[in-house]
Amino acid sequence: MPKPSCPPAISLGLCGGFVAIRAVVRTVVVLALWCLIASPAEAQRVLVPEREWSDATGMFKVQASLVGIEGESVTLRQTDGSDLVIEFSQLAPLDQLIIRRTRRRLAPRGEGPPQVEAFDTAARATNHTNFPPLAPEPLVADPADAGRGIVAGRVVITRRDPFDRVGRVIPLGGAGGVVLVGIENSTPGRPLPTRLVWVSMKSQTVIAEHDLSGPEIILDYHPILERLLTVSREKVTAEGAAKQVLALWDAAPSRKAATAWSAWRAPCGDGQPLARHPWGRIVNDALVVHQSSREEFSCWDIDAKRAIYRLAQDPGHSPMPSLSGGGRYLALPDTRRVQVCDAATGTVLVSLPVGATSGVSFDPDGRRLALIQEGNAQIHDLADPTGPIPVFRVHGASAQRTALAWVGEEQLLIQSARGLAAVLWSAAKGLPAWRYEWQPVQSGDTVDDLAVRVVHGMLLYAAPPDDEGGEAEAGEGKKKPGTTLAVIVAAKIPEPAVAKVAAELPAGLPALVEPGTVVATKVDSGADHDREIATVAKTFERTKWVYDATSPAQVEVSTTAGGTVTYTDAEKRERQLKQVTPTTRQIRVVVHGVALVAAKLSTDIPDKLVLRAGETDKDLATRLPTPDLGWIERIVFPPTLVDVTEADGLGSTACTAEGLATKRAK
């Protein structure tokens, strides 16, 4: 065998290959070194151009091209021409995804679109039966791929048909700052096929266009796998049931066309209606999570052709879930709780007893979860479940569904119910800094996709064009649609002027409570009265507020009694257990009757309760969980509170076709 060569990127003693480090039961670290050097095969084609490949530890890297895949091994051709054979499992997760994508691309395909299959749907709901421990284990960070960043720019999208509309705008990143724009068509009766428009924000041009085979609704795109997820559906079939078909496509700007390779029916759960705005995400190379009905989400295993799990929401409003950047965690809001699940298995990892939540969003690190609950913003550190929970009052947010997105590590862009707008909030100070406003691209435009329009500090949006391309229609006084459908704009936020304002907050905002303000207290009497008083004392110590019983500003701690719980008795009959106490704990700061900030915790009672042998309903009541008072103790109120009902920040920015137009408030 020829002597192995030593690429410069690998230190002496590790030449010619990767090092695989595996932890074994005896805590012995075994260092395995393997390298197969073969004569370069000049005729062997390159499957993936030269790039940096890494092992699972990230410590050992090599510059090479992928030239072969055989079984569980891959062949990498190094820069000196020698071939390196590596086990697939020893590569970094990103490299494994690239190889899976290549393997899928090389697989033989039949002619024409795939046959629609009926996957096994036997999986049942898991989130209402699996409850995590009271003290959940900390979750590790799950950041998004850094390569998805885009650059500032604007690209014009042309109109083919009067009924064209922008369906989704998805940032992909890469060297060209690529963005995928889905153009859907709403022609009555016979809509035209959906169009994929690939644009480069760096060159500010359209680099490719592909037509799908039908009027698909675009749900998600995975840039590493080069995989597109779509859904086509009919609200009602002849049998009176909802009908929808999911499809996965091979799609990329470098391809000649988008090719569908898997399609399957996604039945609605228990005859529920379809979601008004469909939601779906590609978790990894094998799994897809999709909103199969208004109050149910299903995870599909594409290779096994079956549903892995189903997650159900309580009836009522149906806020959207959030998938962490790396696809590891799925946060599902509910009327009674927010559950963080393992996206691959549906197992509940953390259950936050925060009800009536209208929106959730993972931070860029996949470690913190921001949520909106009844006009409050809360930030939960999932890596430190017992740590403080910052909370601040957010006005104007919808009680039904609120889109929110992280801008960096310390700011949140939160949708306002007052028109098409979002307010930039300082998460650290709990104060509004700036307001962003935009116009709809077409009638019925929503901001449900706000969370995917913010990526690595860039705001990505579709703006309507000027009217200069339109022509007057005879006798109607209207204008025909122009040749420009929309302008795709990417711009850095916050802008320098906005960043300066955010750094100087709360200057310029009407502060009602700040360090040194005289504040009273109001604490309900009860078994936990002394502990609640101690909690309020800690709040005063942190914020430097001054106590005075006569002040119109108050810190209130209350416990709400009452409620009804359904259970099954020994004869398997449903009964109701009334006056379950306590059910809710709440702490808030009120000035002249206006709640500036508030947070509450409701009892997290399991859905199915059954009397044990010899147990009475009173016995059942004693073993029901009560709200954790320690949760209130961990809340950290900002020292300065403003009347946010009177302020949307210190200025506004219009998101126009020409870019951001920033205007400071007078």
Side-chain angles (χ1 to χ4, degrees), residues 376 391 522 532 535-536 539 554-559 584-590 597-601 631-633 635 637:
N376 294 317
V391 57
K522 182 180 179 181
E532 291 173 349
T535 298
V536 175
T539 299
Q554 289 185 331
V555 177
E556 299 179 353
V557 180
S558 62
T559 299
T584 304
R585 293 190 190 276
Q586 179 174 263
I587 182 170
R588 63 179 188 164
V589 180
V590 179
V597 61
K600 68 180 181 180
L601 179 72
W631 178 80
I632 292 182
E633 294 175 341
I635 292 176
F637 289 148

Side-chain angles (χ1 to χ4, degrees), residues 354-640:
V354 183
T357 302
S358 61
V360 293
S361 178
F362 281 101
D363 75 344
D365 237 5
R367 183 175 62 88
R368 292 180 296 169
L369 184 70
L371 57 89
I372 306 298
Q373 181 227 22
E374 294 186 344
N376 294 317
Q378 299 181 18
I379 300 175
H380 293 256
D381 190 340
L382 302 177
D384 184 14
T386 61
I389 305 172
V391 57
F392 53 90
R393 193 74 173 171
V394 178
H395 80 288
S398 170
Q400 301 297 319
R401 180 178 294 180
T402 301
L404 67 157
W406 288 82
V407 180
E409 294 292 332
E410 297 299 335
Q411 293 177 310
L412 284 167
L413 194 62
I414 301 176
Q415 174 189 347
S416 173
R418 303 174 180 178
L420 290 173
V423 177
L424 183 68
W425 287 79
S426 168
K429 300 178 181 179
L431 298 174
W434 212 260
R435 179 181 174 90
Y436 289 84
E437 302 172 343
W438 54 84
Q439 296 296 320
V441 179
Q442 64 278 315
S443 177
D445 186 42
T446 69
V447 291
D448 286 336
D449 294 330
L450 176 62
V452 301
R453 293 181 185 176
V454 178
V455 53
H456 296 294
M458 301 293 292
L459 179 64
L460 179 67
Y461 61 92
D466 296 331
D467 292 334
E468 58 187 35
E471 297 179 0
E473 292 186 4
E476 295 189 10
K478 299 180 180 179
K479 285 189 175 182
K480 294 180 180 179
T483 57
T484 299
L485 174 63
V487 181
I488 308 302
V489 181
K492 175 73 175 177
I493 61 169
E495 311 92 292
V498 179
K500 183 178 180 181
V501 166
E504 295 174 351
L505 286 174
L509 291 175
L512 297 183
V513 177
E514 56 190 339
T517 299
V518 176
V519 181
T521 62
K522 182 180 179 181
V523 180
D524 287 349
S525 60
D528 294 317
H529 178 76
D530 292 342
R531 190 176 175 187
E532 291 173 349
I533 288 292
T535 298
V536 175
K538 289 182 180 179
T539 299
F540 275 73
E541 182 180 348
R542 296 189 190 108
T543 58
K544 308 301 180 185
W545 298 337
V546 178
Y547 173 74
D548 187 332
T550 63
S551 174
Q554 289 185 331
V555 177
E556 299 179 353
V557 180
S558 62
T559 299
T560 303
T564 301
V565 176
T566 301
Y567 68 95
T568 304
D569 63 15
E571 285 75 32
K572 298 184 179 180
R573 295 175 299 183
E574 283 199 352
R575 302 286 188 180
Q576 287 190 340
L577 184 66
K578 299 183 178 180
Q579 298 302 316
V580 180
T581 59
T583 57
T584 304
R585 293 190 190 276
Q586 179 174 263
I587 182 170
R588 63 179 188 164
V589 180
V590 179
V591 179
H592 292 295
V594 177
L596 301 185
V597 61
K600 68 180 181 180
L601 179 72
S602 298
T603 304
D604 192 16
I605 299 176
D607 297 305
K608 297 180 180 179
L609 293 170
V610 180
L611 286 183
R612 298 170 180 170
E615 189 179 41
T616 67
D617 56 353
K618 292 183 179 179
D619 297 328
L620 176 62
T622 60
R623 66 180 172 91
L624 290 179
T626 58
D628 177 22
L629 185 60
W631 178 80
I632 292 182
E633 294 175 341
R634 297 195 301 271
I635 292 176
V636 178
F637 289 148
T640 301

Side-chain angles (χ1 to χ4, degrees), residues 105-131:
R105 190 180 68 206
L106 297 175
R109 303 193 188 283
E111 296 294 331
Q115 181 179 359
V116 177
E117 300 180 86
F119 283 11
D120 182 3
T121 61
R124 301 305 301 170
T126 60
N127 58 324
H128 282 187
T129 56
N130 296 340
F131 287 89

Side-chain angles (χ1 to χ4, degrees), residues 26-43:
R26 298 185 303 273
T27 68
V28 178
V29 178
V30 179
L31 193 64
L33 177 66
W34 73 98
C35 175
L36 177 61
I37 303 297
S39 300
E42 300 299 334

